């Protein structure tokens, strides 16, 4: 028997970039590409890898820019091997299917981390926000202010997510949703630049690097917290024409868009997490992803 490897890289690998100057400090792990198509996230990770050698590191930074190579090369959210959503199966299983084994290895890889930042995308018509478990873990407020992305959205709490399972075992972890990615892979460069700045600010804030600009936490009072995201779907076949943009706040009753001649109204004060482009839309299809303002703001 001989084994022929006809293509590199193998799809059962991932690369870990490690930055460490043997000085005491916290360990932070950045992951991207758990959902393979989410390319703005992947781009941010690669830019961090490019820029971090310019800094001296206290503690350790680990970056895994493409966690899920099969999904990355397939330009899909899930793996073509077993169709599993990697971000629903942590901590994985070393004897399970390809994705289960991958989850197991990534879980092991991140056990020493004090912080885990899992970079994702929420689509070409999405916006930038932090998924957080602020209602369950008090420390999530501090982490949100260190990340400094103004909009914080409560996670729906689906189990098996890397950041959620990490929070359960006492790590500081958050999931960032960035514009871009779906449906067929797309890097939103402006968003990537914004996210990169926030990540350097976070590294500064937790003491892993020093930048000239000093730490740049956003005050907790300047963050806006939201409930988990709900979907506003079409109730009939028609032409959806958006009137607002993703990332905007609306008041209850504001017109988000029109479906033919029917106004689609904001059901309460909240954030447009994502809104579709003008599109002929079928009954039951999503038009808007909307997060209600958290009452305790
Ligand atoms: Zn994702």
């Amino acid at each position: 028997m001989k084994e022929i490897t006809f293509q590199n890289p193998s799809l059962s690998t991932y690369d870990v970039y490690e930055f460490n100057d043997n000085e005491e400090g916290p360990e932070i792990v950045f992951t991207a590409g758990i959902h393979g198509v989410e390319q703005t996230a992947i781009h941010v990770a690669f830019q961090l890898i490019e820029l971090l050698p310019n800094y001296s590191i206290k503690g350790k930074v680990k970056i895994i820019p493409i966690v899920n190579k099969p999904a990355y090369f397939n330009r899909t959210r899930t793996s073509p091997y077993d169709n599993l959503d990697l971000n629903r199966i942590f901590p994985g299983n070393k004897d399970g299917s390809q994705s289960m084994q991958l989850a197991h290895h990534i879980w092991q890889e991140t056990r020493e981390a004090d912080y885990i930042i899992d970079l994702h995308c929420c689509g070409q018509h999405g916006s930038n926000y932090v998924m957080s478990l602020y209602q369950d873990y008090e420390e999530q407020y501090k982490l949100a202010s260190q990340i400094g992305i103004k909009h914080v959205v409560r996670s729906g709490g689906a189990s098996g997510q890397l950041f959620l399972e990490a929070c359960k075992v006492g790590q500081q972890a958050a999931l960032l949703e960035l514009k871009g990615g779906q449906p067929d892979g797309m890097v939103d460069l402006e968003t990537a630049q914004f996210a990169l700045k926030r990540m350097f600010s976070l590294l500064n804030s937790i003491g892993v690097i020093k930048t000239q600009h000093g730490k740049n936490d956003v005050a907790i009072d300047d963050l806006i917290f939201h409930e988990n995201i709900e979907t506003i779907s079409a109730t009939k076949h028609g032409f959806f024409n958006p009137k607002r943009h993703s990332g905007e706040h609306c008041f209850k009753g504001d017109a988000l868009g029109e479906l033919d001649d029917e106004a689609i109204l904001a059901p309460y004060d909240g954030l447009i997490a994502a809104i579709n482009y003008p599109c002929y839309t079928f009954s039951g299809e999503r038009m808007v992803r909307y997060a209600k303002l958290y009452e305790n703001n």
Side-chain angles (χ1 to χ4, degrees):
M1 196 276 267
K2 60 178 179 179
E3 184 184 78
I4 310 293
T5 301
F6 62 90
Q7 188 190 33
N8 274 317
S10 156
L11 299 185
S12 295
T13 66
Y14 56 84
D15 302 324
V16 184
Y17 294 80
E18 207 169 297
F19 301 88
N20 160 20
D21 292 329
N22 294 317
E23 280 196 63
E24 285 287 302
E27 176 172 328
I28 180 165
V29 179
F30 293 94
T31 48
I34 277 185
H35 293 140
V37 73
E38 295 179 358
Q39 293 195 359
T40 304
I42 290 168
H43 193 61
V44 171
F46 276 122
Q47 292 208 297
L48 275 171
I49 290 164
E50 202 177 304
L51 293 171
L52 273 175
N54 301 323
Y55 296 85
S56 66
I57 306 288
K58 282 203 167 99
K60 189 188 279 184
V61 183
K62 270 189 192 181
I63 304 174
I64 309 174
I66 306 174
V67 169
N68 194 344
K69 276 191 191 163
Y72 169 76
F73 280 103
N74 204 36
R75 287 210 181 93
T76 48
R77 175 183 173 92
T78 58
S79 169
Y81 283 132
D82 50 19
N83 294 314
L84 289 176
D85 182 336
L86 184 59
N87 211 30
R88 295 292 181 274
I89 59 172
F90 285 95
N93 179 346
K94 70 177 168 49
D95 301 314
S97 68
Q98 213 264 1
S99 296
M100 292 297 280
Q101 292 185 34
L102 175 57
H104 168 78
H105 281 277
I106 296 293
W107 184 251
Q108 297 307 320
E109 192 75 60
T110 54
R111 286 314 79 217
E112 300 300 316
D114 301 291
Y115 299 88
I116 298 176
I117 303 297
D118 190 21
L119 301 164
H120 284 253
C121 292
C122 53
Q124 296 179 7
H125 37 237
S127 57
N128 306 317
Y129 51 93
V130 176
M131 285 293 227
S132 171
L133 294 162
Y134 64 86
Q135 279 155 317
D136 303 316
Y137 304 98
E138 191 64 30
E139 320 82 73
Q140 290 268 289
Y141 284 99
K142 185 175 182 204
L143 182 59
S145 81
Q146 290 172 319
I147 293 168
I149 293 177
K150 186 173 164 191
H151 296 142
V152 182
V153 173
R154 183 187 183 191
S155 166
S159 66
Q161 299 184 76
L162 175 62
F163 97 97
L164 180 143
E165 298 301 326
C167 284
K168 281 187 195 166
V169 297
Q171 292 173 298
Q172 304 299 314
L175 186 157
L176 270 51
E177 291 283 18
L178 304 171
K179 183 181 169 77
Q182 296 89 345
D184 48 7
M186 167 248 190
V187 175
D188 188 275
L189 289 173
E190 195 183 319
T191 292
Q193 202 53 35
F194 161 76
L196 192 65
K197 274 192 193 145
R198 297 318 318 166
M199 296 305 93
F200 272 102
S201 176
L202 169 66
L203 288 169
N204 200 16
S205 178
I206 64 174
V208 171
I209 59 165
K210 273 202 171 69
T211 68
Q212 297 115 329
H213 309 297
K215 71 177 186 179
N216 193 17
D217 295 14
V218 171
I220 289 176
D221 287 348
D222 291 333
L223 300 177
I224 307 176
F225 291 83
H226 303 85
E227 303 282 356
N228 42 316
I229 290 172
E230 291 177 39
T231 297
I232 301 174
S233 299
T235 53
K236 63 180 183 190
H237 176 199
F239 179 65
F240 176 67
N241 191 12
K243 295 291 174 200
R244 304 291 293 262
H245 298 100
S246 64
E248 285 185 346
H249 272 104
C250 296
F251 294 110
K252 181 179 177 176
D254 284 354
L256 304 175
E258 288 168 348
L259 183 63
D260 287 341
D261 52 4
E262 178 195 340
I264 305 299
L265 303 178
Y268 25 68
D269 296 359
L271 169 73
I272 302 175
I275 188 162
N276 282 15
Y277 297 134
C279 179
Y280 288 96
T281 300
F282 313 138
S283 183
E285 276 190 327
R286 186 179 81 197
M287 299 178 291
V288 185
R289 284 162 61 77
Y290 197 77
K292 185 181 184 183
L293 201 63
Y294 180 48
E295 299 287 342
N296 279 16
N297 267 297

